[in-house]
């Protein structure tokens, strides 16, 4: 998607680190799960609570949005457009972030408008975002028409792709790893594995780069949430591209090898946001053993 000023983008990218717009409460807690650790003994299980990032229900997109919004403000955009599924966490957090930053928010959402919106769709509307339904089930959204229309009306819109997974958005998780490694040191924990859900690629790319930059020793275990639709690049390709782009942004002379971070597949067979016994069992376990409510689409997988 073309944007108004390429030079402004380059400038904003170079200075993206200082153009961080505060949205969340960080560090998010890192704490042991004692009852689950007992069950999985001798393993010790910890959780990093990015659900507690604090913006309108919290979640991992807030970390990306701090940099994406920073970039938008630095470049003088007045409107953000993003896209996602009807229950998109990213859309909800973007709507809330825009309000704090004084930007207008347009969401391109898959499918038909439901009679009674619920969940994240309800919340995005409550937060004041203007919602455009695609009518179809296609994940690849085409924002050009909306961008053109908004420009004609005198607005200056920036399109953020699904999940906020751009080079700038990826910075959020490079910084998350810095925060995480500091907590590990403070709590004297040396984890063997870090599991996380991976879907649009920004979280994984940021974790890979962050591990490289901040010397995290643990092995990264990204769990695939959905297979990409036909014709779209694989998640591995997307992560590869994001790692390269974000390395460029940070002017790193050495790009980490992403082959060391293999995607865990097999949990994504049912398809995006289809909740199976696996997810319900995990949600119940986390809720009943630890009092933690897991996201059904991502974390429960
Ligand atoms: C979006 C999301 C993820 C995946 O992050 P990506 O950067 O899109 O791979 C994981 N967990 C939750 C709760 C999310 O909303």
């Amino acid at each position: 998607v073309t944007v108004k000023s390429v030079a402004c983008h380059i400038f904003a990218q170079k200075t993206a680190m200082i153009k961080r717009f505060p949205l969340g409460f960080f560090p998010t807690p890192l704490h042991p799960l004692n009852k689950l650790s007992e069950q999985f003994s001798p393993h010790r299980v910890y959780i990093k609570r990015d659900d507690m990032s604090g913006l309108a229900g919290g979640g991992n997109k807030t970390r990306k949005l701090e940099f994406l919004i920073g970039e938008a403000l630095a470049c003088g955009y007045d409107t953000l457009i993003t896209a996602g599924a009807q229950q998109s966490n990213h859309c909800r957090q973007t709507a809330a972030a825009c309000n704090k930053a004084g930007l207008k928010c347009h969401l391109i959402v898959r499918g038909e408008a439901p009679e009674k919106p619920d969940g994240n769709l309800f919340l995005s509307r409550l937060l004041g975002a203007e919602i455009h339904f695609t009518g179809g089930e296609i994940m690849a959204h085409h924002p050009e028409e909306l961008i053109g229309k908004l420009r004609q009306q005198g607005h200056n819109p920036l399109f953020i792709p699904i999940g906020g997974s751009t080079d700038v958005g990826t910075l959020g998780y490079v910084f998350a790893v810095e925060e995480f490694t500091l907590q590990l040191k403070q709590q004297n924990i040396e984890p063997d594995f870090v599991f996380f859900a991976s879907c649009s690629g920004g979280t994984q790319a940021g974790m890979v780069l962050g591990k490289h930059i901040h010397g995290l020793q643990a092995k990264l275990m990204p769990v695939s949430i959905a297979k990409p639709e036909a014709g779209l690049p694989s998640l591995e390709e997307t992560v590869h591209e994001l790692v390269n782009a974000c390395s460029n942004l940070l002017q790193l002379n050495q790009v980490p090898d992403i082959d060391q971070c293999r995607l865990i597949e097999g949990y994504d067979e049912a398809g995006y946001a289809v909740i199976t016994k696996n997810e319900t069992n995990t949600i119940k376990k986390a809720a009943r053993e630890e009092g933690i409510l897991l996201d059904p689409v991502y974390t429960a997988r």
Side-chain angles (χ1 to χ4, degrees):
V1 175
T2 52
V3 289
K4 229 172 194 173
S5 151
V6 174
C8 184
H9 250 257
I10 292 167
F11 169 79
Q13 285 179 352
K14 287 251 161 75
T15 56
M17 290 201 307
I18 26 169
K19 303 293 177 203
R20 181 177 185 170
F21 185 80
L23 291 167
F25 299 103
F26 301 113
T28 56
L30 171 70
H31 64 87
L33 298 177
N34 290 329
K35 285 178 76 189
L36 285 185
S37 293
E38 255 168 51
Q39 287 183 25
F40 292 114
S41 169
H43 303 290
R44 303 268 316 137
V45 187
Y46 291 79
I47 190 167
K48 171 90 170 129
R49 299 295 301 275
D50 271 15
D51 61 317
M52 291 177 67
S53 56
L55 182 70
N60 74 334
K61 304 305 180 300
T62 298
R63 291 193 186 271
K64 302 175 180 185
L65 283 162
E66 289 202 337
F67 293 94
L68 292 164
I69 296 265
E71 181 197 30
L73 292 175
C75 288
Y77 291 99
D78 60 10
T79 303
L80 288 196
I81 305 171
T82 196
Q86 296 213 347
Q87 291 304 328
S88 165
N89 293 320
H90 167 64
C91 287
R92 166 185 35 90
Q93 288 164 82
T94 303
C98 282
N99 292 347
K100 283 196 84 162
L103 298 167
K104 288 230 154 47
C105 181
H106 288 258
L107 303 174
I108 303 174
V109 165
R110 243 192 306 175
E112 306 282 353
E115 241 167 65
K116 253 188 116 176
D118 62 3
N120 280 329
L121 184 60
F122 172 85
L123 294 173
S124 296
R125 257 206 1 199
L126 173 73
L127 288 160
E130 200 164 311
I131 297 168
H132 309 264
F133 292 91
T134 63
E137 282 302 308
I138 324 134
M139 198 59 159
H141 304 273
H142 300 286
E144 290 81 5
E145 202 185 308
L146 181 58
I147 291 174
K149 212 170 92 185
L150 290 170
R151 280 191 189 152
Q152 261 178 5
Q153 293 168 4
H155 297 291
N156 188 12
L158 173 66
F159 176 69
I160 293 174
I162 286 174
S165 288
T166 67
D167 49 358
V168 172
T170 295
L171 283 174
Y173 269 82
V174 177
F175 279 81
V177 176
E178 182 182 36
E179 174 186 308
F180 180 53
T181 41
L182 199 71
Q183 286 175 312
L184 292 174
K185 208 176 275 168
Q186 286 164 349
Q187 297 187 34
N188 205 13
I189 312 165
E190 288 180 12
D192 297 309
F193 303 102
V194 179
F195 292 88
F196 55 95
S198 187
C199 190
S200 69
T203 301
Q204 187 179 341
M207 293 287 289
V208 168
L209 255 183
K211 175 178 153 78
H212 171 81
I213 294 170
H214 302 294
L216 175 67
Q217 293 298 316
K219 192 168 161 52
L220 301 180
M221 307 293 273
V223 177
S224 169
I225 293 312
K227 299 197 191 314
E229 279 165 40
L232 293 183
S234 71
L235 182 50
E236 284 91 342
E237 287 170 310
T238 304
V239 171
H240 215 277
E241 215 170 273
L242 286 169
V243 166
N244 281 326
C246 192
S247 298
N248 256 347
L249 193 82
L250 292 168
Q251 300 178 325
L252 300 182
N253 40 26
Q254 212 189 358
V255 178
D257 175 13
I258 83 143
D259 285 338
Q260 294 184 7
C261 179
R262 278 282 156 81
L263 203 56
I264 300 173
E265 282 166 308
Y267 292 92
D268 54 7
E269 297 298 334
Y272 180 79
V274 179
I275 310 212
T276 69
K277 254 204 152 62
N278 172 46
E279 287 80 36
T280 10
N281 287 342
T282 311
I283 288 169
K284 279 186 190 160
K285 204 181 188 75
R288 293 175 187 182
E289 303 288 343
E290 300 285 352
I292 289 173
L293 304 173
L294 296 184
D295 175 285
V297 177
Y298 297 95
T299 322
R301 288 223 155 142

